[in-house]
Amino acid sequence: MQRLVIDGNTKISGELKVHGAKNSALPLLAATILGKTPSVLHNCPRLSDVFAACRILSYLGCKCVRENDSVIVDTANLTHFEVPDQLMREMRSSIVFLGAILGRLGRCRLSFPGGCELGPRPIDMHISALRQMGVSIKEEYGYLDCSIPKELKGTAISLSFPSVGTTENIMLAAVLANGETQIRNAAREPEIIDLANFLNACGAKIYGQGESTIYIEGVKEIGGCEYNVMPDRIVAATYIGAAAITNSEICLKNVKAKDLESVLPVFEEMGCSIYSYSDKIYVNALRPLNCVKTIRTMPYPGFPTDVQAIAMAALCKARGTSVIVENIFENRFKHAGELVRMGANIKVEGKVAIVEGIQKFYGAQVEATDLRGGAALVLAGLSAEGQTTISNIKHIDRGYERIEDNLNLVGAKIKRV
Ligand code: EPZ
């Protein structure tokens, strides 16, 4: 079992390149299924979740090869419509393949995606939306058996919650459906815009992405295209957190400040000076951090739930008391207990966490509880007095490309053992 060993009390400085976005690459890889001709995704991150998605594509009969930072997908021999249990279990978000396989093949059989560390991860909204489009879905023996008895038809679907995955699944199923689909109260995340831009470049007709209502006009078929995956805004926020927690200054490269419009003000409230221009963000966090009155995680464009653990780690070092309210997932404070083992002063009451600032973290043996919680522990380890060992780092590798290599480039002292 691999672990990260971090010698603390480090300052970081220099330039960090942000890799392509995991939460865009995954739906984009699923979207390639809809195209009759090959697609090339550039700036595709080397992450275990991306490898898992490529394995699913290969299992379905596609040719999926990586060439440096690009992944090429050829769906000419796409024959299978079933995703077996062990592949579904590897990556919870593989539910996004459902809409694409149905759109292209009209049939799909996949096992219920396992829960994950953030809670049960229900898919009731995915199922209800696809049924409204004419999909028959039988849930039995842990499998979803989906078919289209008559036709996949466009329709108006109102979401009770702007679910990212549900919005993506509907978009993917609607591209080749008959007629127009409207998604009301759609997710507005930048990854949704990236997916729509990719599909339109392949020949789809999608409008309104990034707003609350998305229109998809069904077309007969689409091809593939060459596309650059957007930068990972959560990895960028993680690096900003690393500068904040170590009172350092760094420059981020290959990042879109617009995607962080609700994150940057929070770090500025902590006392960081942040300048952004073209595809760079410069962070000066040399002053001691101040607490932040309240952070509430919300759907985009609100403060992202994926940055909650990162902000919590930085706020542990801030003077005063901060309040964090997690509104998106019901079980996303598990990293708090591990931060407390490092000396943090955090009280969790349901979806509210109260963070009292401390002088410093102490190195300890801790365990990554989930992807972003694990990243938060890395940040705390950078700043801690002494050495920190983090186990269960497979969670971190799902969303961060060799996190230790990138941070060591700017002065961190992290070893993977
Ligand atoms: C996506 O998950 C991201 N994953 C998550 O990132 C991110 O935290 C989340 O969006 C919110 O921004 C990918 O893009 C691969 P949702 P997703 O559907 O699509 C409930 C990370 O760290 N819900 O918007 O699963 C659900 O339980 C990961 O990179 C239902 O109840 O998020 C959750 O409480 C973690 N029924 C809330 O909605 C449904 O049918 C948000 O879920 C679907 C969702």
Side-chain angles (χ1 to χ4, degrees):
M1 193 76 131
Q2 290 191 330
R3 286 168 305 150
L4 290 177
V5 179
I6 306 172
D7 289 331
N9 252 337
T10 42
K11 290 271 180 197
I12 57 176
S13 71
E15 190 168 273
L16 270 169
K17 186 174 174 304
V18 175
H19 59 63
K22 163 179 91 78
N23 292 348
S24 178
L26 297 179
L28 288 178
L29 285 164
T32 61
I33 288 174
L34 293 168
K36 284 239 185 332
T37 53
S39 283
V40 185
L41 296 180
H42 299 300
N43 196 31
C44 201
R46 285 176 178 74
L47 302 167
S48 49
D49 268 7
V50 169
F51 295 137
C54 292
R55 269 198 293 283
I56 290 177
L57 287 172
S58 307
Y59 183 88
L60 295 171
C62 305
K63 211 148 85 33
C64 187
V65 288
R66 174 175 280 277
E67 263 174 31
N68 304 319
D69 271 353
S70 307
V71 169
I72 302 148
V73 182
D74 182 344
T75 68
N77 301 323
L78 173 68
T79 46
H80 279 56
F81 56 74
E82 177 164 345
V83 182
D85 190 53
Q86 86 268 11
L87 284 179
M88 279 301 287
R89 287 209 166 272
E90 269 183 41
M91 179 182 68
R92 193 244 152 243
S93 41
S94 24
I95 187 67
V96 79
F97 279 86
L98 176 54
I101 297 171
L102 279 173
R104 179 75 184 275
L105 297 176
R107 278 226 59 192
C108 182
R109 189 171 140 72
L110 45 80
S111 71
F112 236 80
C116 78
E117 40 300 324
L118 306 183
R121 305 299 291 275
I123 56 168
D124 53 302
M125 294 166 70
H126 295 250
I127 291 175
S128 140
L130 292 171
R131 280 181 172 145
Q132 291 174 59
M133 296 177 74
V135 181
S136 133
I137 301 179
K138 285 203 282 308
E139 305 165 49
E140 50 201 18
Y141 317 115
Y143 263 83
L144 293 176
D145 213 335
C146 311
S147 59
I148 300 172
K150 287 218 299 292
E151 61 167 344
L152 191 58
K153 64 183 184 333
T155 183
I157 299 168
S158 296
L159 297 182
S160 56
F161 175 87
S163 153
V164 173
T166 306
T167 302
E168 291 164 348
N169 245 333
I170 300 169
M171 282 166 70
L172 291 166
V175 164
L176 302 177
N178 298 331
E180 180 186 78
T181 299
Q182 267 185 42
I183 311 174
R184 297 184 188 136
N185 193 25
R188 297 174 51 196
E189 272 73 2
E191 291 78 14
I192 299 288
I193 298 175
D194 223 27
L195 177 61
N197 291 344
F198 168 80
L199 289 166
N200 284 341
C202 292
K205 288 199 168 68
I206 303 175
Y207 316 94
Q209 58 272 20
E211 302 304 322
S212 291
T213 303
I214 300 177
Y215 304 87
I216 304 108
E217 236 177 84
V219 294
K220 277 276 150 286
E221 69 170 50
I222 64 170
C225 76
E226 267 201 72
Y227 193 78
N228 286 309
V229 177
M230 62 176 267
D232 194 312
R233 60 193 171 98
I234 310 300
V235 169
T238 305
Y239 290 157
I240 294 171
I245 205 167
T246 58
N247 295 117
S248 306
E249 54 180 337
I250 52 164
C251 181
L252 300 187
K253 206 172 140 17
N254 199 17
V255 59
K256 263 170 77 183
K258 181 171 176 345
D259 294 345
L260 290 157
E261 60 188 9
S262 61
V263 170
L264 300 183
V266 169
F267 283 101
E268 285 170 332
E269 197 182 335
M270 284 189 219
C272 303
S273 305
I274 299 180
Y275 314 97
S276 47
Y277 49 96
S278 95
D279 71 341
K280 286 197 170 81
I281 291 182
Y282 173 72
V283 183
N284 172 326
L286 299 171
R287 289 190 303 277
L289 298 179
N290 309 316
C291 61
V292 164
K293 226 161 28 59
T294 307
I295 291 179
R296 289 180 182 80
T297 63
M298 296 301 280
Y300 197 90
F303 189 87
T305 172
D306 293 350
V307 181
Q308 178 255 106
I310 305 302
M312 181 185 280
L315 288 170
C316 287
K317 291 278 307 293
R319 280 181 306 220
T321 303
S322 309
V323 175
I324 300 177
V325 187
E326 172 55 57
N327 293 310
I328 308 293
F329 287 101
E330 70 254 7
N331 188 9
R332 202 168 194 175
F333 280 138
K334 284 163 63 179
H335 46 278
E338 297 303 303
L339 289 168
V340 167
R341 283 172 58 81
M342 297 177 72
N345 181 343
I346 306 167
K347 282 182 199 56
V348 171
E349 285 289 323
K351 62 182 205 172
V352 178
I354 316 279
V355 183
E356 305 269 352
I358 53 170
Q359 284 305 319
K360 60 177 144 185
F361 283 110
Y362 291 94
Q365 315 258 347
V366 288
E367 187 179 331
T369 53
D370 59 79
L371 163 55
R372 309 300 175 187
L377 296 176
V378 172
L379 301 194
L382 293 179
S383 138
E385 184 84 25
Q387 193 171 77
T388 300
T389 301
I390 305 176
S391 57
N392 226 358
I393 58 173
K394 66 178 183 340
H395 288 301
I396 301 175
D397 292 337
R398 285 186 41 221
Y400 295 86
E401 238 182 47
R402 302 284 310 179
I403 194 166
E404 71 276 17
D405 294 352
N406 284 298
L407 289 173
N408 287 342
L409 272 181
V410 288
K413 294 192 268 321
I414 309 176
K415 282 195 299 302
R416 180 181 287 253
V417 298

